[in-house]
Amino acid sequence: MVHTPGTRFENMGRRVDERVGSAIPRTEEEIKKASSYLNDEVVSHVRQDSAQALRSAAAQLGKLADRLDANRAGRKLE
């Protein structure tokens, strides 16, 4: 099967290439926007929430340490 220049198949291929080629810059721009959003919004919230979770865990560990000290001393802590 020989394809001569100007066949429907080649024309369709050119149209597909043009459309895909024009979509690439838009896609790259959308990826940059999504990346910026993730960095600016999502990451900062995760860090903030993580810091709060660590503070809460530290407080609970402090209470546990107090209970261990109280048990070692033979007294009961509420």
Side-chain angles (χ1 to χ4, degrees), residues 5-25:
T7 63
R8 294 174 88 196
F9 181 76
E10 283 186 7
N11 289 336
M12 182 189 71
R14 282 191 200 105
R15 285 194 305 267
V16 169
D17 284 344
E18 288 171 3
R19 289 193 178 160
V20 169
S22 68
I24 290 173

Side-chain angles (χ1 to χ4, degrees), residues 29-46:
E29 186 61 32
E30 291 301 318
I31 290 171
K32 287 178 186 177
K33 287 179 186 177
S35 177
S36 293
Y37 174 78
L38 287 172
N39 286 329
D40 297 344
E41 300 295 328
V42 176
V43 171
S44 65
H45 287 344
V46 168

Side-chain angles (χ1 to χ4, degrees), residues 38-64:
L38 287 172
N39 286 329
D40 297 344
E41 300 295 328
V42 176
V43 171
S44 65
H45 287 344
V46 168
R47 286 183 180 153
Q48 181 181 3
D49 292 346
S50 296
Q52 290 172 352
L54 284 173
R55 286 186 185 94
S56 176
Q60 293 298 318
L61 287 171
K63 289 178 184 179
L64 176 61

